[in-house]
Amino acid sequence: VGIYLSADSTITTSDTLIATRYVDALAPGATSTESTAFTLPGNIPSGTYSIGAVADYGNGVQEGDETNNAALGNQIVVTGPDLTMTAVSGPASALTGQTVTVSNTVATTAGGSSGFYVGIYLSTDNVITTTDTFIGSRSLSNVAAGISNSVNFNYVTIPAGLAPGNYYIGAIADHTALEAETDESNNSFAGTAAITITRPDLVP
């Protein structure tokens, strides 16, 4: 039995499969009832969906009537997580090629998340986007709703070819877009102080 989410009231195998259960044997005229646990995929957009089921969704049984296998259940409101960066900070200065520590805090203000990445960036301005200079990332998994996660991430390396100058350190929650969020516009955050990047100076 396949359990599906549908954007309309018609349940078919082309809808989003979210769970399955196996019926070992069923006598003529008998029924099988079971509660099936499932985890919603993280990439399902927020919205109202219909839950439905399709018996023998894999067509493993030849039936006398194949047209009555789908059943429509109730509606479910799906709300995606809302991931936000609330703090980012790093050293006041660094050399190209140097590994530095960047402290960053990410929060889930609505809904939980099965997992996502936080991307760390250098930017010439205080608006952080994925087109800025990527310098590292960290991962989170099985994040509950309404939590705040802070870490001193010490695997961030300043690119050796980066031009010297002043940069803002920033971070973007879910920078690889694994999650379908209720608000995708609040994922980035820039530190308040710039970091001065210089190149090493070698002398004999």
Side-chain angles (χ1 to χ4, degrees), residues 1 7 20 23-24 45 53 58 64 80 92-93 102 123 127-128 139 147 149 154-155 168 171 201:
V1 177
T20 63
V23 181
D24 185 51
S93 62
V102 175
S123 174
V127 178
I128 308 300
S139 62
I147 66 96
N149 179 276
N154 56 2
Y155 297 100
Y168 287 91
D201 184 21

Side-chain angles (χ1 to χ4, degrees), residues 32-161:
S32 171
T33 303
E34 182 180 296
S35 295
T36 303
F38 63 88
T39 299
L40 284 176
N43 60 354
I44 294 180
S46 300
T48 301
Y49 295 86
S50 296
I51 293 181
V54 179
D56 189 33
Y57 73 102
N59 291 322
V61 178
Q62 292 186 350
E63 303 177 56
D65 186 355
E66 299 280 2
T67 65
N68 59 357
N69 287 23
L72 175 68
N74 61 286
Q75 287 189 323
I76 178 175
V77 177
V78 176
T79 302
D82 187 20
L83 309 174
T84 61
M85 299 302 306
T86 58
V88 180
S89 63
S93 62
L95 297 173
T96 56
Q98 180 182 357
T99 299
V100 299
T101 298
V102 175
S103 300
N104 58 92
T105 302
V106 62
T108 55
T109 58
S113 170
S114 58
F116 60 94
Y117 294 91
V118 172
I120 312 297
Y121 292 85
L122 287 178
S123 174
T124 55
D125 55 40
N126 62 355
V127 178
I128 308 300
T129 71
T130 54
T131 61
D132 290 321
T133 301
F134 175 77
I135 57 175
S137 69
R138 69 181 181 101
S139 62
L140 294 89
S141 59
N142 298 321
V143 182
I147 66 96
S148 181
N149 179 276
S150 300
V151 70
N152 293 325
F153 187 61
N154 56 2
Y155 297 100
V156 178
T157 301
I158 307 300

